[in-house]
Short mmCIF file of all heavy atoms in Angstrom, two decimals:
data_model
loop_
_atom_site.label_atom_id
_atom_site.label_comp_id
_atom_site.label_asym_id
_atom_site.label_seq_id
_atom_site.Cartn_x
_atom_site.Cartn_y
_atom_site.Cartn_z
N ARG S 1402 -1.06 11.36 10.03
CA ARG S 1402 -1.34 10.50 11.17
C ARG S 1402 -0.99 9.04 10.89
O ARG S 1402 -0.75 8.64 9.76
CB ARG S 1402 -2.82 10.58 11.53
CG ARG S 1402 -3.72 9.99 10.46
CD ARG S 1402 -5.19 10.21 10.72
NE ARG S 1402 -5.55 11.62 10.65
CZ ARG S 1402 -6.77 12.09 10.84
NH1 ARG S 1402 -7.75 11.25 11.12
NH2 ARG S 1402 -7.03 13.36 10.74
N PHE S 1403 -1.04 8.26 11.96
CA PHE S 1403 -1.15 6.81 11.87
C PHE S 1403 -2.62 6.47 12.13
O PHE S 1403 -3.27 7.11 12.96
CB PHE S 1403 -0.30 6.09 12.92
CG PHE S 1403 1.18 6.25 12.74
CD1 PHE S 1403 2.02 6.25 13.85
CD2 PHE S 1403 1.75 6.40 11.49
CE1 PHE S 1403 3.39 6.39 13.71
CE2 PHE S 1403 3.12 6.53 11.33
CZ PHE S 1403 3.94 6.53 12.45
N ARG S 1404 -3.10 5.47 11.43
CA ARG S 1404 -4.47 4.99 11.67
C ARG S 1404 -4.35 3.55 12.18
O ARG S 1404 -4.15 2.62 11.42
CB ARG S 1404 -5.29 5.04 10.38
CG ARG S 1404 -6.70 4.48 10.51
CD ARG S 1404 -7.39 4.52 9.15
NE ARG S 1404 -8.71 3.95 9.18
CZ ARG S 1404 -8.99 2.65 9.00
NH1 ARG S 1404 -8.00 1.79 8.79
NH2 ARG S 1404 -10.23 2.22 9.02
N VAL S 1405 -4.44 3.40 13.48
CA VAL S 1405 -4.26 2.10 14.11
C VAL S 1405 -5.58 1.35 14.12
O VAL S 1405 -6.62 1.90 14.49
CB VAL S 1405 -3.75 2.26 15.56
CG1 VAL S 1405 -3.53 0.90 16.21
CG2 VAL S 1405 -2.46 3.07 15.58
N THR S 1406 -5.53 0.09 13.68
CA THR S 1406 -6.72 -0.76 13.76
C THR S 1406 -6.35 -2.06 14.48
O THR S 1406 -5.38 -2.73 14.11
CB THR S 1406 -7.27 -1.09 12.36
OG1 THR S 1406 -6.21 -1.53 11.51
CG2 THR S 1406 -7.92 0.14 11.74
N ILE S 1407 -7.12 -2.38 15.48
CA ILE S 1407 -6.86 -3.55 16.32
C ILE S 1407 -7.73 -4.70 15.86
O ILE S 1407 -8.89 -4.51 15.48
CB ILE S 1407 -7.20 -3.25 17.80
CG1 ILE S 1407 -6.67 -1.88 18.20
CG2 ILE S 1407 -6.64 -4.32 18.71
CD1 ILE S 1407 -5.20 -1.74 18.21
N THR S 1408 -7.20 -5.90 15.88
CA THR S 1408 -7.98 -7.08 15.54
C THR S 1408 -8.07 -8.00 16.75
O THR S 1408 -7.35 -7.80 17.74
CB THR S 1408 -7.33 -7.86 14.37
OG1 THR S 1408 -6.17 -8.56 14.85
CG2 THR S 1408 -6.94 -6.93 13.23
N PRO S 1409 -8.93 -9.01 16.70
CA PRO S 1409 -9.02 -9.94 17.83
C PRO S 1409 -7.73 -10.72 18.07
O PRO S 1409 -7.51 -11.25 19.17
CB PRO S 1409 -10.16 -10.89 17.42
CG PRO S 1409 -10.92 -10.16 16.39
CD PRO S 1409 -9.93 -9.30 15.67
N LYS S 1410 -6.88 -10.82 17.05
CA LYS S 1410 -5.65 -11.62 17.18
C LYS S 1410 -4.50 -10.86 17.83
O LYS S 1410 -3.48 -11.45 18.16
CB LYS S 1410 -5.23 -12.16 15.81
CG LYS S 1410 -6.14 -13.25 15.27
CD LYS S 1410 -5.58 -13.90 14.02
CE LYS S 1410 -6.45 -15.05 13.54
NZ LYS S 1410 -5.89 -15.72 12.34
N HIS S 1411 -4.64 -9.56 18.00
CA HIS S 1411 -3.64 -8.81 18.76
C HIS S 1411 -3.80 -9.14 20.24
O HIS S 1411 -4.91 -9.12 20.78
CB HIS S 1411 -3.79 -7.31 18.54
CG HIS S 1411 -3.34 -6.83 17.21
ND1 HIS S 1411 -4.17 -6.76 16.11
CD2 HIS S 1411 -2.12 -6.40 16.78
CE1 HIS S 1411 -3.49 -6.30 15.07
NE2 HIS S 1411 -2.25 -6.08 15.44
N LYS S 1412 -2.70 -9.46 20.89
CA LYS S 1412 -2.71 -9.81 22.31
C LYS S 1412 -2.31 -8.61 23.17
O LYS S 1412 -1.76 -7.63 22.67
CB LYS S 1412 -1.75 -10.97 22.58
CG LYS S 1412 -1.96 -12.18 21.68
CD LYS S 1412 -3.35 -12.78 21.83
CE LYS S 1412 -3.51 -14.02 20.95
NZ LYS S 1412 -4.88 -14.53 20.96
N ALA S 1413 -2.55 -8.74 24.47
CA ALA S 1413 -2.20 -7.65 25.40
C ALA S 1413 -0.71 -7.35 25.35
O ALA S 1413 -0.30 -6.18 25.39
CB ALA S 1413 -2.63 -8.02 26.81
N LYS S 1414 0.12 -8.39 25.23
CA LYS S 1414 1.57 -8.17 25.16
C LYS S 1414 1.95 -7.45 23.86
O LYS S 1414 2.90 -6.65 23.85
CB LYS S 1414 2.33 -9.48 25.29
CG LYS S 1414 2.13 -10.46 24.16
CD LYS S 1414 2.99 -11.72 24.35
CE LYS S 1414 2.81 -12.67 23.17
NZ LYS S 1414 3.67 -13.88 23.31
N ASP S 1415 1.23 -7.73 22.77
CA ASP S 1415 1.47 -7.01 21.51
C ASP S 1415 1.18 -5.53 21.68
O ASP S 1415 1.94 -4.67 21.21
CB ASP S 1415 0.59 -7.57 20.39
CG ASP S 1415 0.86 -9.03 20.08
OD1 ASP S 1415 2.02 -9.46 20.20
OD2 ASP S 1415 -0.09 -9.74 19.71
N ILE S 1416 0.08 -5.23 22.34
CA ILE S 1416 -0.32 -3.84 22.56
C ILE S 1416 0.70 -3.12 23.43
O ILE S 1416 1.10 -1.98 23.15
CB ILE S 1416 -1.73 -3.78 23.18
CG1 ILE S 1416 -2.76 -4.31 22.19
CG2 ILE S 1416 -2.08 -2.36 23.62
CD1 ILE S 1416 -4.15 -4.50 22.76
N ASN S 1417 1.17 -3.80 24.47
CA ASN S 1417 2.17 -3.21 25.36
C ASN S 1417 3.46 -2.91 24.59
O ASN S 1417 4.04 -1.82 24.74
CB ASN S 1417 2.44 -4.17 26.52
CG ASN S 1417 3.36 -3.55 27.56
OD1 ASN S 1417 3.06 -2.51 28.12
ND2 ASN S 1417 4.49 -4.21 27.81
N ASN S 1418 3.89 -3.86 23.76
CA ASN S 1418 5.10 -3.65 22.96
C ASN S 1418 4.92 -2.51 21.96
O ASN S 1418 5.84 -1.72 21.73
CB ASN S 1418 5.47 -4.93 22.21
CG ASN S 1418 5.95 -6.04 23.13
OD1 ASN S 1418 6.40 -5.77 24.25
ND2 ASN S 1418 5.86 -7.28 22.67
N PHE S 1419 3.72 -2.44 21.37
CA PHE S 1419 3.43 -1.39 20.40
C PHE S 1419 3.50 -0.01 21.05
O PHE S 1419 4.12 0.92 20.52
CB PHE S 1419 2.04 -1.64 19.80
CG PHE S 1419 1.58 -0.59 18.84
CD1 PHE S 1419 2.18 -0.43 17.61
CD2 PHE S 1419 0.52 0.25 19.16
CE1 PHE S 1419 1.76 0.55 16.71
CE2 PHE S 1419 0.09 1.23 18.28
CZ PHE S 1419 0.71 1.38 17.05
N VAL S 1420 2.87 0.14 22.21
CA VAL S 1420 2.87 1.43 22.91
C VAL S 1420 4.29 1.81 23.33
O VAL S 1420 4.71 2.97 23.19
CB VAL S 1420 1.92 1.39 24.13
CG1 VAL S 1420 2.09 2.64 24.99
CG2 VAL S 1420 0.47 1.25 23.68
N ASN S 1421 5.06 0.84 23.82
CA ASN S 1421 6.44 1.12 24.22
C ASN S 1421 7.29 1.55 23.03
O ASN S 1421 8.13 2.45 23.15
CB ASN S 1421 7.05 -0.11 24.89
CG ASN S 1421 6.50 -0.37 26.27
OD1 ASN S 1421 5.97 0.54 26.92
ND2 ASN S 1421 6.61 -1.60 26.75
N ALA S 1422 7.06 0.92 21.89
CA ALA S 1422 7.80 1.29 20.68
C ALA S 1422 7.44 2.71 20.25
O ALA S 1422 8.33 3.50 19.88
CB ALA S 1422 7.51 0.29 19.56
N LEU S 1423 6.16 3.04 20.27
CA LEU S 1423 5.73 4.40 19.94
C LEU S 1423 6.36 5.42 20.89
O LEU S 1423 6.85 6.47 20.45
CB LEU S 1423 4.21 4.51 20.01
CG LEU S 1423 3.38 3.95 18.85
CD1 LEU S 1423 1.90 4.04 19.19
CD2 LEU S 1423 3.66 4.69 17.56
N ASP S 1424 6.34 5.11 22.17
CA ASP S 1424 6.91 6.00 23.17
C ASP S 1424 8.38 6.26 22.87
O ASP S 1424 8.87 7.40 22.93
CB ASP S 1424 6.74 5.37 24.55
CG ASP S 1424 7.18 6.30 25.67
OD1 ASP S 1424 7.08 7.53 25.51
OD2 ASP S 1424 7.62 5.78 26.71
N SER S 1425 9.11 5.21 22.52
CA SER S 1425 10.53 5.34 22.20
C SER S 1425 10.75 6.18 20.95
O SER S 1425 11.62 7.07 20.92
CB SER S 1425 11.14 3.94 22.02
OG SER S 1425 12.49 4.03 21.66
N VAL S 1426 9.96 5.93 19.91
CA VAL S 1426 10.10 6.67 18.65
C VAL S 1426 9.75 8.14 18.87
O VAL S 1426 10.42 9.04 18.34
CB VAL S 1426 9.21 6.05 17.56
CG1 VAL S 1426 9.08 6.97 16.35
CG2 VAL S 1426 9.76 4.69 17.13
N TRP S 1427 8.71 8.41 19.65
CA TRP S 1427 8.33 9.79 19.94
C TRP S 1427 9.50 10.54 20.61
O TRP S 1427 9.76 11.70 20.31
CB TRP S 1427 7.09 9.83 20.81
CG TRP S 1427 5.89 10.39 20.13
CD1 TRP S 1427 5.28 11.58 20.38
CD2 TRP S 1427 5.14 9.80 19.05
NE1 TRP S 1427 4.19 11.77 19.55
CE2 TRP S 1427 4.09 10.68 18.72
CE3 TRP S 1427 5.26 8.60 18.35
CZ2 TRP S 1427 3.17 10.42 17.71
CZ3 TRP S 1427 4.35 8.33 17.34
CH2 TRP S 1427 3.32 9.22 17.02
N SER S 1428 10.20 9.84 21.51
CA SER S 1428 11.33 10.47 22.19
C SER S 1428 12.51 10.66 21.25
O SER S 1428 13.14 11.73 21.23
CB SER S 1428 11.76 9.61 23.39
OG SER S 1428 10.74 9.56 24.37
N LYS S 1429 12.83 9.66 20.44
CA LYS S 1429 13.97 9.74 19.54
C LYS S 1429 13.80 10.84 18.49
O LYS S 1429 14.77 11.51 18.12
CB LYS S 1429 14.19 8.39 18.85
CG LYS S 1429 14.72 7.30 19.76
CD LYS S 1429 14.88 5.98 19.01
CE LYS S 1429 15.41 4.89 19.92
NZ LYS S 1429 15.57 3.60 19.19
N LEU S 1430 12.57 11.03 18.02
CA LEU S 1430 12.31 12.04 16.99
C LEU S 1430 11.82 13.36 17.58
O LEU S 1430 11.55 14.31 16.83
CB LEU S 1430 11.29 11.51 15.98
CG LEU S 1430 11.73 10.32 15.13
CD1 LEU S 1430 10.57 9.86 14.21
CD2 LEU S 1430 12.95 10.65 14.31
N ASP S 1431 11.71 13.39 18.91
CA ASP S 1431 11.24 14.59 19.61
C ASP S 1431 9.90 15.05 19.05
O ASP S 1431 9.69 16.23 18.73
CB ASP S 1431 12.27 15.72 19.51
CG ASP S 1431 11.98 16.87 20.50
OD1 ASP S 1431 11.34 16.59 21.54
OD2 ASP S 1431 12.39 18.01 20.22
N LEU S 1432 8.97 14.12 18.93
CA LEU S 1432 7.65 14.42 18.39
C LEU S 1432 6.76 15.04 19.45
O LEU S 1432 6.96 14.84 20.66
CB LEU S 1432 7.01 13.13 17.85
CG LEU S 1432 7.74 12.44 16.70
CD1 LEU S 1432 7.07 11.11 16.38
CD2 LEU S 1432 7.77 13.34 15.47
N LYS S 1433 5.77 15.77 18.98
CA LYS S 1433 4.86 16.48 19.88
C LYS S 1433 4.06 15.49 20.73
O LYS S 1433 3.47 14.54 20.21
CB LYS S 1433 3.91 17.36 19.07
CG LYS S 1433 2.93 18.17 19.92
CD LYS S 1433 2.00 19.01 19.05
CE LYS S 1433 1.00 19.78 19.88
NZ LYS S 1433 0.07 20.57 19.04
N ARG S 1434 4.04 15.73 22.02
CA ARG S 1434 3.23 14.93 22.94
C ARG S 1434 1.91 15.65 23.22
O ARG S 1434 1.78 16.86 23.01
CB ARG S 1434 3.98 14.73 24.26
CG ARG S 1434 5.32 14.04 24.14
CD ARG S 1434 5.21 12.56 24.25
NE ARG S 1434 6.52 11.90 24.19
CZ ARG S 1434 6.72 10.62 24.44
NH1 ARG S 1434 5.70 9.84 24.79
NH2 ARG S 1434 7.93 10.11 24.34
N SER S 1435 0.94 14.90 23.69
CA SER S 1435 -0.35 15.50 24.04
C SER S 1435 -0.28 16.10 25.44
O SER S 1435 0.50 15.66 26.28
CB SER S 1435 -1.46 14.46 23.97
OG SER S 1435 -1.19 13.38 24.86
N ASP S 1436 -1.11 17.09 25.65
CA ASP S 1436 -1.26 17.69 26.97
C ASP S 1436 -2.31 16.89 27.72
O ASP S 1436 -3.47 16.80 27.27
CB ASP S 1436 -1.69 19.15 26.83
CG ASP S 1436 -1.78 19.86 28.18
OD1 ASP S 1436 -1.79 19.17 29.22
OD2 ASP S 1436 -1.85 21.10 28.18
N PRO S 1437 -1.94 16.25 28.83
CA PRO S 1437 -2.92 15.43 29.57
C PRO S 1437 -4.19 16.18 29.94
O PRO S 1437 -5.25 15.58 30.13
CB PRO S 1437 -2.14 15.01 30.83
CG PRO S 1437 -0.70 15.17 30.46
CD PRO S 1437 -0.64 16.31 29.50
N LYS S 1438 -4.09 17.51 30.04
CA LYS S 1438 -5.26 18.30 30.44
C LYS S 1438 -6.17 18.62 29.26
O LYS S 1438 -7.27 19.11 29.43
CB LYS S 1438 -4.80 19.61 31.08
CG LYS S 1438 -3.97 19.42 32.35
CD LYS S 1438 -3.50 20.75 32.89
CE LYS S 1438 -2.63 20.56 34.13
NZ LYS S 1438 -2.14 21.86 34.64
N GLU S 1439 -5.67 18.36 28.03
CA GLU S 1439 -6.42 18.75 26.84
C GLU S 1439 -7.21 17.58 26.29
O GLU S 1439 -6.68 16.48 26.12
CB GLU S 1439 -5.45 19.27 25.77
CG GLU S 1439 -6.15 19.83 24.55
CD GLU S 1439 -5.14 20.42 23.56
OE1 GLU S 1439 -4.71 21.56 23.77
OE2 GLU S 1439 -4.80 19.72 22.59
N SER S 1440 -8.48 17.79 25.99
CA SER S 1440 -9.33 16.74 25.44
C SER S 1440 -8.96 16.42 24.01
O SER S 1440 -8.64 17.31 23.23
CB SER S 1440 -10.80 17.16 25.51
OG SER S 1440 -11.61 16.25 24.79
N THR S 1441 -8.99 15.15 23.67
CA THR S 1441 -8.81 14.73 22.27
C THR S 1441 -10.06 14.00 21.79
O THR S 1441 -10.00 13.06 21.02
CB THR S 1441 -7.58 13.81 22.12
OG1 THR S 1441 -7.72 12.71 23.03
CG2 THR S 1441 -6.31 14.55 22.42
N SER S 1442 -11.20 14.43 22.29
CA SER S 1442 -12.45 13.75 22.00
C SER S 1442 -13.14 14.38 20.81
O SER S 1442 -12.68 15.34 20.21
CB SER S 1442 -13.37 13.80 23.22
OG SER S 1442 -13.77 15.13 23.46
N GLU S 1443 -14.31 13.84 20.48
CA GLU S 1443 -15.11 14.35 19.36
C GLU S 1443 -15.48 15.80 19.56
O GLU S 1443 -15.65 16.54 18.59
CB GLU S 1443 -16.36 13.48 19.20
CG GLU S 1443 -17.20 13.86 17.99
CD GLU S 1443 -18.34 12.91 17.77
OE1 GLU S 1443 -18.47 11.94 18.53
OE2 GLU S 1443 -19.10 13.12 16.81
N SER S 1444 -15.58 16.25 20.79
CA SER S 1444 -15.96 17.63 21.03
C SER S 1444 -14.88 18.61 20.61
O SER S 1444 -15.13 19.80 20.48
CB SER S 1444 -16.28 17.83 22.53
OG SER S 1444 -15.14 17.57 23.31
N ASN S 1445 -13.67 18.11 20.40
CA ASN S 1445 -12.56 18.98 20.01
C ASN S 1445 -12.32 18.90 18.51
O ASN S 1445 -11.20 18.77 18.05
CB ASN S 1445 -11.30 18.56 20.78
CG ASN S 1445 -10.27 19.69 20.86
OD1 ASN S 1445 -10.58 20.83 20.58
ND2 ASN S 1445 -9.05 19.34 21.22
N LEU S 1446 -13.39 19.00 17.74
CA LEU S 1446 -13.32 18.74 16.31
C LEU S 1446 -12.61 19.81 15.51
O LEU S 1446 -12.35 19.61 14.34
CB LEU S 1446 -14.73 18.53 15.75
CG LEU S 1446 -15.25 17.11 15.86
CD1 LEU S 1446 -16.66 17.04 15.33
CD2 LEU S 1446 -14.36 16.13 15.11
#
């Protein structure tokens, strides 16, 4: 996994760029996407 940790100095634009970069990398490497209908919460341990 990646373990993402956010600090107070990260801005909204940083977060937007980060998510867009991840989205692009996931597409380029054809990585597994999550099923929107499937829970990724603590109950799915």
Side-chain angles (χ1 to χ4, degrees):
R1402 67 187 66 180
F1403 293 149
R1404 177 183 177 273
V1405 181
T1406 49
I1407 316 294
T1408 75
K1410 289 189 176 181
H1411 286 90
K1412 308 300 182 186
K1414 66 177 182 178
D1415 298 326
I1416 294 171
N1417 186 58
N1418 291 338
F1419 177 69
V1420 171
N1421 288 338
L1423 282 174
D1424 186 29
S1425 178
V1426 167
W1427 247 250
S1428 295
K1429 289 179 180 180
L1430 295 178
D1431 194 25
L1432 298 174
K1433 181 181 178 182
R1434 301 270 182 170
S1435 59
D1436 183 345
K1438 299 177 182 178
E1439 186 176 279
S1440 170
T1441 54
S1442 67
E1443 184 174 359
S1444 62
N1445 202 14
L1446 274 178

